[in-house]
């Protein structure tokens, strides 16, 4: 049984560019959440997908968007990158969303995005 | 702004001493989860608390959920160097939104 894998591990982009980050959820998990973790801070909830539909969103602007595919893998897209978008982006999968999730989220190792 | 507050930010203890981190929310939480993140690593799920006043134990770790479901604590008895890391609480609101605290970074001196 594989865990959550994210790609790429590191990425450098220029302000104004667009970026796509990818996540393969743990086998059997149909729920994926994305988090932004700035250095020394806790993960900030971006959004969650359950069975290919977004079913929860944090306080992030619309230029943060996502997709979940039929195999439950997921993408995070960020348009018009800003310097403050530099952070570790974590993907987490679970068997079920929200209150139904009794076993917590399994996190990937993250993608370190640097915007210059 | 920070939805879930966590204190202290840092804690340095001598091996064998106890450690506690506290988590507070201004609104009622559906449930709360606790995670541990080692330096350079990713958060790893420890436990979930759902019921008001719930207490759960995992070996030397004791987790509590407040009666009003607005606060929670994690207590480690007799810390070991393997306990080093940052401990996060994550509270569930509005059914599907988990709000992480800012974490408590624990350093254990041998």
């Amino acid at each position: 049984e594989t865990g959550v894998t994210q790609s790429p591990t590191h990425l450098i982009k220029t302000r104004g560019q667009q970026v796509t980050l990818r996540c393969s959820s743990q086998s059997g998990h149909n729920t994926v959440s994305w988090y932004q973790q700035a250095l020394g801070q806790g993960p900030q909830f971006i959004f969650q997908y359950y069975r290919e539909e977004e079913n929860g969103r944090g306080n992030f602007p619309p230029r943060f968007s996502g997709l979940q595919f039929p195999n439950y893998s997921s993408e995070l897209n960020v348009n018009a990158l800003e310097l403050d978008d530099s952070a570790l982006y974590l993907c987490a999968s679970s068997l079920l969303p929200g209150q139904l999730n009794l076993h917590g989220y399994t996190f990937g190792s993250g993608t370190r995005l640097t915007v210059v | 702004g920070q939805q879930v507050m966590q204190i202290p930010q840092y804690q340095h203890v001598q091996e064998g001493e106890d450690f506690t981190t506290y988590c507070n929310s201004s609104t009622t939480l559906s449930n709360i989860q606790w995670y541990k993140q080692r330096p350079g690593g990713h958060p790893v799920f420890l436990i979930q608390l759902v019921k008001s006043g719930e207490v759960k134990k995992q070996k030397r770790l004791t987790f509590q959920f407040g009666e009003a479901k607005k606060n929670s604590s994690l207590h480690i008895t007799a810390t070991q160097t393997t306990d080093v890391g940052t401990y996060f609480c994550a509270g569930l609101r509005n059914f599907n939104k988990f709000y992480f605290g800012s974490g408590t970074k624990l350093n254990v001196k041998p």
Side-chain angles (χ1 to χ4, degrees), chain A residues 46-83:
Chain A
I46 303 175
F47 43 58
Q48 178 174 272
Y49 280 83
Y50 172 59
R51 292 186 174 178
E52 302 178 60
E53 301 227 350
E54 184 182 299
N55 77 335
R57 189 178 182 93
N59 298 324
F60 280 80
R63 58 190 186 84
F64 285 79
S65 64
L67 278 174
Q68 188 180 30
F69 300 101
N71 66 355
Y72 302 133
S73 65
S74 177
E75 283 182 356
L76 164 64
N77 299 292
V78 188
N79 293 324
L81 284 167
E82 301 175 0
L83 297 179

Side-chain angles (χ1 to χ4, degrees), chain A residues 1 7-8 11 17 20 24 31 33 52-53 56 60 66 81 86 98 103 105-107 114:
Chain A
E1 180 181 282
S7 62
L11 200 53
Q17 283 188 313
T20 298
S24 292
T31 303
S33 301
E52 302 178 60
E53 301 227 350
F60 280 80
L81 284 167
S86 295
H103 304 289
Y105 287 92
T106 302
F107 279 83
T114 303

